[in-house]
Amino acid sequence: MEIYLKYFLIGLAIAMPVGAITVEMTKQGLKNGFVHGWAVGLGGMTIDLMLILALYFGFASVLALPYIQIPLWIVGAGFLAYLGYDSIKNADKDITPSNERAQKSFFSTYRNGLFVAVSPGNLVFWISVFGAVLSQSYISSNTGSFVVAASGVMSGILLHDLGLLSIVSVTRKVMSRRMIQWVSVIAGMMLLGFSLYFLYEFVVSIIQLFEK
């Protein structure tokens, strides 16, 4: 229980700062409702779970290789640039009134969550947070510690996502279509900003690689 609570708080703290997932989740929640905002969060958590499994089965050293992380910077930049451009271009489209059912497919917003979560930042987080726990998980007296820690972090992220989307759902009911359009434009600009940051990290990583 102590390990679970510790990593639950870590997961909650990590999820709170505004990142690309939060921006996309809020935008979809405002435009298409709770379920579609949740689909984005679920996509992000899917990537998180895959990274946890990769760490558990001993791929931490592989994920830490520059040759693995560097391509992900440019891939992540591309995905975020596309989502940012699409958010601005279609700011006045796909807006579902709060009293109507969204026509947009659940899978399309889930896919957006997957795209946004593809980031070396995620790799660094999981490797650093679970490094010590991973080494303990093979000790007979602590075989479940890794699973408990992973469950705690995922629970923290889940609580953050549900809390955020609950607030978004309430806010959505009092916002006009024009206001939601502007939120979509602002979200698109923020996603483009994250894309530029990923591109910057890609360039820096390439320079550092050649300097070695």
Side-chain angles (χ1 to χ4, degrees):
M1 182 57 69
E2 182 181 350
I3 293 176
Y4 177 84
L5 289 175
K6 174 184 176 182
Y7 283 90
F8 171 82
L9 293 175
I10 289 176
L12 188 60
I14 288 296
M16 280 185 174
V18 176
I21 282 283
T22 304
V23 172
E24 182 66 17
M25 194 162 45
T26 301
K27 185 195 77 176
Q28 291 295 341
L30 285 174
K31 293 186 76 172
N32 297 293
F34 182 95
V35 172
H36 285 272
W38 169 238
V40 174
L42 190 61
M45 291 180 69
T46 300
I47 297 296
D48 292 342
L49 184 59
M50 290 172 63
L51 290 173
I52 288 174
L53 291 174
L55 289 175
Y56 185 78
F57 289 109
F59 291 105
S61 58
V62 176
L63 294 175
L65 291 174
Y67 296 103
I68 299 297
Q69 292 190 12
I70 289 176
L72 288 180
W73 283 119
I74 194 66
V75 171
F79 284 151
L80 291 179
Y82 166 75
L83 292 176
Y85 169 77
D86 182 71
S87 182
I88 295 171
K89 180 183 177 182
N90 298 311
D92 61 337
K93 300 177 182 177
D94 298 325
I95 298 177
T96 307
S98 58
N99 59 345
E100 295 182 15
R101 184 176 180 179
Q103 298 300 314
K104 192 170 186 178
S105 72
F106 180 89
F107 176 76
S108 65
T109 43
Y110 172 76
R111 180 194 59 202
N112 286 2
L114 290 175
F115 286 169
V116 173
V118 176
S119 161
N122 254 358
L123 299 183
V124 172
F125 164 67
W126 291 114
I127 291 172
S128 60
V129 167
F130 286 106
V133 179
L134 181 62
S135 63
Q136 295 174 1
S137 65
Y138 295 105
I139 301 174
S140 58
S141 60
N142 292 296
T143 52
S145 60
F146 182 83
V147 176
V148 172
S151 300
V153 172
M154 296 300 286
S155 298
I157 295 173
L158 175 63
L159 179 63
H160 166 269
D161 290 353
L162 293 176
L164 173 65
L165 290 170
S166 297
I167 295 172
V168 169
S169 295
V170 174
T171 305
R172 178 174 179 248
K173 295 178 181 179
V174 298
M175 291 182 70
S176 67
R177 183 183 181 91
R178 187 66 174 173
M179 291 171 67
I180 293 176
Q181 288 179 25
W182 275 108
V183 169
S184 183
V185 170
I186 294 171
M189 293 173 66
M190 293 179 70
L191 290 172
L192 289 175
F194 283 116
S195 174
L196 291 175
Y197 169 72
F198 277 31
L199 185 60
Y200 168 78
E201 289 291 345
F202 170 75
V203 173
V204 169
S205 299
I206 290 291
I207 293 174
Q208 291 176 344
L209 187 64
F210 280 103
E211 287 178 346
K212 291 182 179 180

